[in-house]
Amino acid sequence: PGQIKKLHDAGYKFLEDLKEASPLSLSKGVSVQEALSIIRQIKYDKLPSASLTSIIKRETYAIPTFCNGIDKLLGGKGVTLGKIVEFCGIPGIGKTQMGIQLSINVQIPRNLSGPEGEAVYIEGSFIIQRVAEIANGTIARLNETVEGSPFNLETILSRIYYFRIHDYIQLNALIKNMDEFLNEHPMVKLIVIDSIAFHFRTELDLSVRTRVLQMIAQKLEDIAESFELAVVLMNQMTTKFGGNSGPDNTTLTPALGMSFMMLLVNLASAKLHICFIMRR
């Protein structure tokens, strides 16, 4: 923000104004070091952009949840590519089941209005047997709709890439280096983190937690936009005391606090949906 203000004061309003600028002319508004950094970014960094056609495709090939009520909350078709979605709910409400179902549904072929992609699932524990059960149920459902569905259990499982992480350091490192994996696997259209709060509920210094969460949120927003994929965050609930919201003066609220939610909102703007699953 400080650099932008300096550039505006120096007469530079748009990126086009900077493309032909030299470090010397630019340094009239900012320092020489800042001028070199800005020119390097403009010339060599890929600025995010999207054609209207690609945006329409994102809306067309959304990932259905197979729950009409939730799909409606998310815009009508489910989880849209290029967006960050946060599901919040109490333990046992079905967050992991939702994540697994989306990891399977992202593979639905385009002739059935699906993304026909692959999934990355990031979690501390993963029950393969449960994935197989949900996959077999999905196969049966699709076979009722279309004869000769290309879905089979082995194919579904081979298109879900599972990363097991044990602490917030591993999570941060994995997200920071996800670009390389996605470049090698261009069919990935979904990343599920189950859950985003789990490794941050220890006695972490607040400033450290805030800084790491900010880096992760910023990187996830960049990934969703650049690779045109959906990012789904599962979040736990915590009890907040005070506020007179319940008979015992307590309120259920998403873990990590409102600050993390507002961080996502500020970063992702219209690319964010938040869905609360509070009851069975």
Side-chain angles (χ1 to χ4, degrees), residues 164-187:
R164 183 172 186 177
I165 48 103
H166 299 88
D167 53 44
Y168 77 93
I169 297 175
Q170 290 184 349
L171 176 62
N172 187 34
L174 176 60
I175 299 302
K176 286 181 68 175
N177 293 284
M178 185 58 65
D179 296 55
E180 182 178 350
F181 180 86
L182 295 174
N183 284 323
E184 295 174 356
H185 300 81
M187 292 297 293

PDB file of all heavy atoms in Angstrom, residues 164-187:
ATOM      1  N   ARG A 164      -0.283 -36.509   4.373  1.00  0.00           N
ATOM      2  CA  ARG A 164      -0.481 -36.544   5.828  1.00  0.00           C
ATOM      3  C   ARG A 164       0.514 -35.585   6.470  1.00  0.00           C
ATOM      4  O   ARG A 164       1.720 -35.675   6.237  1.00  0.00           O
ATOM      5  CB  ARG A 164      -0.277 -37.948   6.377  1.00  0.00           C
ATOM      6  CG  ARG A 164      -0.555 -38.019   7.873  1.00  0.00           C
ATOM      7  CD  ARG A 164      -0.552 -39.440   8.374  1.00  0.00           C
ATOM      8  NE  ARG A 164      -0.968 -39.489   9.775  1.00  0.00           N
ATOM      9  CZ  ARG A 164      -1.112 -40.607  10.462  1.00  0.00           C
ATOM     10  NH1 ARG A 164      -0.871 -41.764   9.879  1.00  0.00           N
ATOM     11  NH2 ARG A 164      -1.493 -40.567  11.721  1.00  0.00           N
ATOM     12  N   ILE A 165       0.009 -34.671   7.268  1.00  0.00           N
ATOM     13  CA  ILE A 165       0.862 -33.699   7.943  1.00  0.00           C
ATOM     14  C   ILE A 165       0.644 -33.825   9.458  1.00  0.00           C
ATOM     15  O   ILE A 165      -0.416 -34.248   9.912  1.00  0.00           O
ATOM     16  CB  ILE A 165       0.597 -32.261   7.445  1.00  0.00           C
ATOM     17  CG1 ILE A 165      -0.902 -31.952   7.426  1.00  0.00           C
ATOM     18  CG2 ILE A 165       1.135 -32.078   6.047  1.00  0.00           C
ATOM     19  CD1 ILE A 165      -1.360 -31.123   8.547  1.00  0.00           C
ATOM     20  N   HIS A 166       1.679 -33.428  10.220  1.00  0.00           N
ATOM     21  CA  HIS A 166       1.645 -33.650  11.661  1.00  0.00           C
ATOM     22  C   HIS A 166       1.672 -32.365  12.474  1.00  0.00           C
ATOM     23  O   HIS A 166       1.422 -32.395  13.677  1.00  0.00           O
ATOM     24  CB  HIS A 166       2.822 -34.539  12.080  1.00  0.00           C
ATOM     25  CG  HIS A 166       2.807 -35.889  11.445  1.00  0.00           C
ATOM     26  ND1 HIS A 166       3.400 -36.145  10.215  1.00  0.00           N
ATOM     27  CD2 HIS A 166       2.248 -37.058  11.840  1.00  0.00           C
ATOM     28  CE1 HIS A 166       3.222 -37.416   9.906  1.00  0.00           C
ATOM     29  NE2 HIS A 166       2.529 -37.993  10.867  1.00  0.00           N
ATOM     30  N   ASP A 167       2.007 -31.246  11.858  1.00  0.00           N
ATOM     31  CA  ASP A 167       2.026 -29.987  12.601  1.00  0.00           C
ATOM     32  C   ASP A 167       1.883 -28.825  11.631  1.00  0.00           C
ATOM     33  O   ASP A 167       1.884 -29.006  10.406  1.00  0.00           O
ATOM     34  CB  ASP A 167       3.311 -29.842  13.433  1.00  0.00           C
ATOM     35  CG  ASP A 167       4.575 -30.022  12.603  1.00  0.00           C
ATOM     36  OD1 ASP A 167       4.643 -29.460  11.482  1.00  0.00           O
ATOM     37  OD2 ASP A 167       5.496 -30.719  13.057  1.00  0.00           O
ATOM     38  N   TYR A 168       1.761 -27.620  12.181  1.00  0.00           N
ATOM     39  CA  TYR A 168       1.531 -26.441  11.342  1.00  0.00           C
ATOM     40  C   TYR A 168       2.743 -26.115  10.467  1.00  0.00           C
ATOM     41  O   TYR A 168       2.601 -25.520   9.398  1.00  0.00           O
ATOM     42  CB  TYR A 168       1.150 -25.239  12.210  1.00  0.00           C
ATOM     43  CG  TYR A 168       2.302 -24.583  12.935  1.00  0.00           C
ATOM     44  CD1 TYR A 168       2.982 -23.504  12.373  1.00  0.00           C
ATOM     45  CD2 TYR A 168       2.716 -25.038  14.182  1.00  0.00           C
ATOM     46  CE1 TYR A 168       4.046 -22.905  13.028  1.00  0.00           C
ATOM     47  CE2 TYR A 168       3.772 -24.448  14.846  1.00  0.00           C
ATOM     48  CZ  TYR A 168       4.431 -23.382  14.265  1.00  0.00           C
ATOM     49  OH  TYR A 168       5.484 -22.795  14.908  1.00  0.00           O
ATOM     50  N   ILE A 169       3.939 -26.520  10.900  1.00  0.00           N
ATOM     51  CA  ILE A 169       5.146 -26.266  10.097  1.00  0.00           C
ATOM     52  C   ILE A 169       5.082 -27.072   8.803  1.00  0.00           C
ATOM     53  O   ILE A 169       5.368 -26.566   7.712  1.00  0.00           O
ATOM     54  CB  ILE A 169       6.412 -26.606  10.908  1.00  0.00           C
ATOM     55  CG1 ILE A 169       6.516 -25.699  12.134  1.00  0.00           C
ATOM     56  CG2 ILE A 169       7.654 -26.471  10.041  1.00  0.00           C
ATOM     57  CD1 ILE A 169       7.666 -26.031  13.057  1.00  0.00           C
ATOM     58  N   GLN A 170       4.709 -28.357   8.915  1.00  0.00           N
ATOM     59  CA  GLN A 170       4.573 -29.186   7.724  1.00  0.00           C
ATOM     60  C   GLN A 170       3.467 -28.670   6.808  1.00  0.00           C
ATOM     61  O   GLN A 170       3.611 -28.673   5.584  1.00  0.00           O
ATOM     62  CB  GLN A 170       4.297 -30.638   8.117  1.00  0.00           C
ATOM     63  CG  GLN A 170       5.478 -31.346   8.759  1.00  0.00           C
ATOM     64  CD  GLN A 170       5.190 -32.811   9.039  1.00  0.00           C
ATOM     65  OE1 GLN A 170       4.047 -33.261   8.934  1.00  0.00           O
ATOM     66  NE2 GLN A 170       6.216 -33.551   9.404  1.00  0.00           N
ATOM     67  N   LEU A 171       2.361 -28.228   7.409  1.00  0.00           N
ATOM     68  CA  LEU A 171       1.254 -27.692   6.609  1.00  0.00           C
ATOM     69  C   LEU A 171       1.700 -26.469   5.827  1.00  0.00           C
ATOM     70  O   LEU A 171       1.439 -26.352   4.625  1.00  0.00           O
ATOM     71  CB  LEU A 171       0.071 -27.351   7.511  1.00  0.00           C
ATOM     72  CG  LEU A 171      -1.125 -26.686   6.831  1.00  0.00           C
ATOM     73  CD1 LEU A 171      -1.721 -27.604   5.770  1.00  0.00           C
ATOM     74  CD2 LEU A 171      -2.189 -26.299   7.854  1.00  0.00           C
ATOM     75  N   ASN A 172       2.369 -25.553   6.489  1.00  0.00           N
ATOM     76  CA  ASN A 172       2.838 -24.333   5.835  1.00  0.00           C
ATOM     77  C   ASN A 172       3.819 -24.656   4.713  1.00  0.00           C
ATOM     78  O   ASN A 172       3.739 -24.096   3.612  1.00  0.00           O
ATOM     79  CB  ASN A 172       3.491 -23.416   6.871  1.00  0.00           C
ATOM     80  CG  ASN A 172       3.846 -22.054   6.307  1.00  0.00           C
ATOM     81  OD1 ASN A 172       3.143 -21.517   5.458  1.00  0.00           O
ATOM     82  ND2 ASN A 172       4.947 -21.481   6.760  1.00  0.00           N
ATOM     83  N   ALA A 173       4.751 -25.579   4.970  1.00  0.00           N
ATOM     84  CA  ALA A 173       5.734 -25.957   3.957  1.00  0.00           C
ATOM     85  C   ALA A 173       5.061 -26.607   2.752  1.00  0.00           C
ATOM     86  O   ALA A 173       5.427 -26.340   1.593  1.00  0.00           O
ATOM     87  CB  ALA A 173       6.769 -26.899   4.561  1.00  0.00           C
ATOM     88  N   LEU A 174       4.076 -27.463   3.011  1.00  0.00           N
ATOM     89  CA  LEU A 174       3.375 -28.140   1.920  1.00  0.00           C
ATOM     90  C   LEU A 174       2.633 -27.138   1.039  1.00  0.00           C
ATOM     91  O   LEU A 174       2.715 -27.212  -0.196  1.00  0.00           O
ATOM     92  CB  LEU A 174       2.383 -29.153   2.500  1.00  0.00           C
ATOM     93  CG  LEU A 174       1.486 -29.880   1.499  1.00  0.00           C
ATOM     94  CD1 LEU A 174       2.330 -30.679   0.506  1.00  0.00           C
ATOM     95  CD2 LEU A 174       0.510 -30.797   2.220  1.00  0.00           C
ATOM     96  N   ILE A 175       1.923 -26.198   1.656  1.00  0.00           N
ATOM     97  CA  ILE A 175       1.172 -25.209   0.885  1.00  0.00           C
ATOM     98  C   ILE A 175       2.114 -24.322   0.078  1.00  0.00           C
ATOM     99  O   ILE A 175       1.856 -23.999  -1.090  1.00  0.00           O
ATOM    100  CB  ILE A 175       0.296 -24.352   1.810  1.00  0.00           C
ATOM    101  CG1 ILE A 175      -0.731 -25.226   2.548  1.00  0.00           C
ATOM    102  CG2 ILE A 175      -0.430 -23.262   1.017  1.00  0.00           C
ATOM    103  CD1 ILE A 175      -1.647 -26.006   1.650  1.00  0.00           C
ATOM    104  N   LYS A 176       3.241 -23.925   0.675  1.00  0.00           N
ATOM    105  CA  LYS A 176       4.195 -23.059  -0.014  1.00  0.00           C
ATOM    106  C   LYS A 176       4.785 -23.729  -1.250  1.00  0.00           C
ATOM    107  O   LYS A 176       5.128 -23.054  -2.220  1.00  0.00           O
ATOM    108  CB  LYS A 176       5.316 -22.646   0.941  1.00  0.00           C
ATOM    109  CG  LYS A 176       4.904 -21.614   1.980  1.00  0.00           C
ATOM    110  CD  LYS A 176       6.062 -21.238   2.879  1.00  0.00           C
ATOM    111  CE  LYS A 176       7.132 -20.480   2.104  1.00  0.00           C
ATOM    112  NZ  LYS A 176       8.217 -20.000   3.008  1.00  0.00           N
ATOM    113  N   ASN A 177       4.899 -25.069  -1.219  1.00  0.00           N
ATOM    114  CA  ASN A 177       5.504 -25.792  -2.333  1.00  0.00           C
ATOM    115  C   ASN A 177       4.477 -26.519  -3.199  1.00  0.00           C
ATOM    116  O   ASN A 177       4.842 -27.367  -4.011  1.00  0.00           O
ATOM    117  CB  ASN A 177       6.527 -26.798  -1.797  1.00  0.00           C
ATOM    118  CG  ASN A 177       7.730 -26.123  -1.157  1.00  0.00           C
ATOM    119  OD1 ASN A 177       8.610 -25.611  -1.830  1.00  0.00           O
ATOM    120  ND2 ASN A 177       7.755 -26.109   0.168  1.00  0.00           N
ATOM    121  N   MET A 178       3.188 -26.190  -3.013  1.00  0.00           N
ATOM    122  CA  MET A 178       2.139 -26.877  -3.753  1.00  0.00           C
ATOM    123  C   MET A 178       2.179 -26.570  -5.247  1.00  0.00           C
ATOM    124  O   MET A 178       1.752 -27.393  -6.068  1.00  0.00           O
ATOM    125  CB  MET A 178       0.771 -26.498  -3.164  1.00  0.00           C
ATOM    126  CG  MET A 178      -0.409 -27.244  -3.767  1.00  0.00           C
ATOM    127  SD  MET A 178      -0.325 -29.048  -3.638  1.00  0.00           S
ATOM    128  CE  MET A 178      -0.406 -29.290  -1.865  1.00  0.00           C
ATOM    129  N   ASP A 179       2.706 -25.400  -5.635  1.00  0.00           N
ATOM    130  CA  ASP A 179       2.751 -25.053  -7.058  1.00  0.00           C
ATOM    131  C   ASP A 179       3.460 -26.120  -7.886  1.00  0.00           C
ATOM    132  O   ASP A 179       3.008 -26.476  -8.983  1.00  0.00           O
ATOM    133  CB  ASP A 179       3.475 -23.715  -7.260  1.00  0.00           C
ATOM    134  CG  ASP A 179       2.739 -22.556  -6.623  1.00  0.00           C
ATOM    135  OD1 ASP A 179       2.453 -22.634  -5.418  1.00  0.00           O
ATOM    136  OD2 ASP A 179       2.466 -21.573  -7.314  1.00  0.00           O
ATOM    137  N   GLU A 180       4.581 -26.613  -7.369  1.00  0.00           N
ATOM    138  CA  GLU A 180       5.362 -27.615  -8.104  1.00  0.00           C
ATOM    139  C   GLU A 180       4.546 -28.876  -8.328  1.00  0.00           C
ATOM    140  O   GLU A 180       4.529 -29.436  -9.425  1.00  0.00           O
ATOM    141  CB  GLU A 180       6.641 -27.942  -7.332  1.00  0.00           C
ATOM    142  CG  GLU A 180       7.550 -28.932  -8.038  1.00  0.00           C
ATOM    143  CD  GLU A 180       8.839 -29.188  -7.268  1.00  0.00           C
ATOM    144  OE1 GLU A 180       9.112 -28.451  -6.291  1.00  0.00           O
ATOM    145  OE2 GLU A 180       9.567 -30.128  -7.641  1.00  0.00           O
ATOM    146  N   PHE A 181       3.835 -29.325  -7.291  1.00  0.00           N
ATOM    147  CA  PHE A 181       3.004 -30.523  -7.426  1.00  0.00           C
ATOM    148  C   PHE A 181       1.880 -30.289  -8.431  1.00  0.00           C
ATOM    149  O   PHE A 181       1.580 -31.163  -9.262  1.00  0.00           O
ATOM    150  CB  PHE A 181       2.425 -30.908  -6.069  1.00  0.00           C
ATOM    151  CG  PHE A 181       1.551 -32.133  -6.112  1.00  0.00           C
ATOM    152  CD1 PHE A 181       2.105 -33.394  -6.011  1.00  0.00           C
ATOM    153  CD2 PHE A 181       0.169 -32.019  -6.254  1.00  0.00           C
ATOM    154  CE1 PHE A 181       1.298 -34.531  -6.061  1.00  0.00           C
ATOM    155  CE2 PHE A 181      -0.639 -33.134  -6.298  1.00  0.00           C
ATOM    156  CZ  PHE A 181      -0.073 -34.402  -6.205  1.00  0.00           C
ATOM    157  N   LEU A 182       1.248 -29.127  -8.380  1.00  0.00           N
ATOM    158  CA  LEU A 182       0.136 -28.832  -9.276  1.00  0.00           C
ATOM    159  C   LEU A 182       0.596 -28.706 -10.723  1.00  0.00           C
ATOM    160  O   LEU A 182      -0.143 -29.070 -11.646  1.00  0.00           O
ATOM    161  CB  LEU A 182      -0.575 -27.557  -8.827  1.00  0.00           C
ATOM    162  CG  LEU A 182      -1.277 -27.637  -7.463  1.00  0.00           C
ATOM    163  CD1 LEU A 182      -1.822 -26.274  -7.063  1.00  0.00           C
ATOM    164  CD2 LEU A 182      -2.394 -28.671  -7.492  1.00  0.00           C
ATOM    165  N   ASN A 183       1.790 -28.202 -10.938  1.00  0.00           N
ATOM    166  CA  ASN A 183       2.327 -28.150 -12.298  1.00  0.00           C
ATOM    167  C   ASN A 183       2.549 -29.550 -12.858  1.00  0.00           C
ATOM    168  O   ASN A 183       2.404 -29.784 -14.061  1.00  0.00           O
ATOM    169  CB  ASN A 183       3.631 -27.361 -12.321  1.00  0.00           C
ATOM    170  CG  ASN A 183       3.417 -25.864 -12.220  1.00  0.00           C
ATOM    171  OD1 ASN A 183       2.456 -25.331 -12.778  1.00  0.00           O
ATOM    172  ND2 ASN A 183       4.296 -25.172 -11.514  1.00  0.00           N
ATOM    173  N   GLU A 184       2.901 -30.491 -11.985  1.00  0.00           N
ATOM    174  CA  GLU A 184       3.110 -31.873 -12.406  1.00  0.00           C
ATOM    175  C   GLU A 184       1.793 -32.635 -12.524  1.00  0.00           C
ATOM    176  O   GLU A 184       1.743 -33.682 -13.180  1.00  0.00           O
ATOM    177  CB  GLU A 184       4.024 -32.587 -11.413  1.00  0.00           C
ATOM    178  CG  GLU A 184       5.447 -32.027 -11.364  1.00  0.00           C
ATOM    179  CD  GLU A 184       6.277 -32.655 -10.265  1.00  0.00           C
ATOM    180  OE1 GLU A 184       5.713 -33.471  -9.489  1.00  0.00           O
ATOM    181  OE2 GLU A 184       7.480 -32.353 -10.181  1.00  0.00           O
ATOM    182  N   HIS A 185       0.743 -32.134 -11.896  1.00  0.00           N
ATOM    183  CA  HIS A 185      -0.572 -32.793 -11.914  1.00  0.00           C
ATOM    184  C   HIS A 185      -1.637 -31.756 -12.302  1.00  0.00           C
ATOM    185  O   HIS A 185      -2.425 -31.313 -11.459  1.00  0.00           O
ATOM    186  CB  HIS A 185      -0.891 -33.400 -10.549  1.00  0.00           C
ATOM    187  CG  HIS A 185       0.092 -34.436 -10.101  1.00  0.00           C
ATOM    188  ND1 HIS A 185       1.304 -34.112  -9.523  1.00  0.00           N
ATOM    189  CD2 HIS A 185       0.057 -35.797 -10.170  1.00  0.00           C
ATOM    190  CE1 HIS A 185       1.960 -35.218  -9.239  1.00  0.00           C
ATOM    191  NE2 HIS A 185       1.236 -36.259  -9.623  1.00  0.00           N
ATOM    192  N   PRO A 186      -1.674 -31.365 -13.559  1.00  0.00           N
ATOM    193  CA  PRO A 186      -2.572 -30.280 -13.995  1.00  0.00           C
ATOM    194  C   PRO A 186      -4.054 -30.623 -13.915  1.00  0.00           C
ATOM    195  O   PRO A 186      -4.890 -29.727 -14.030  1.00  0.00           O
ATOM    196  CB  PRO A 186      -2.149 -30.040 -15.445  1.00  0.00           C
ATOM    197  CG  PRO A 186      -1.526 -31.332 -15.883  1.00  0.00           C
ATOM    198  CD  PRO A 186      -0.862 -31.892 -14.672  1.00  0.00           C
ATOM    199  N   MET A 187      -4.395 -31.890 -13.693  1.00  0.00           N
ATOM    200  CA  MET A 187      -5.806 -32.272 -13.601  1.00  0.00           C
ATOM    201  C   MET A 187      -6.403 -32.015 -12.217  1.00  0.00           C
ATOM    202  O   MET A 187      -7.612 -32.169 -12.025  1.00  0.00           O
ATOM    203  CB  MET A 187      -5.970 -33.757 -13.955  1.00  0.00           C
ATOM    204  CG  MET A 187      -5.680 -34.069 -15.412  1.00  0.00           C
ATOM    205  SD  MET A 187      -6.836 -33.218 -16.522  1.00  0.00           S
ATOM    206  CE  MET A 187      -8.366 -34.063 -16.110  1.00  0.00           C
TER     207      MET A 187
END
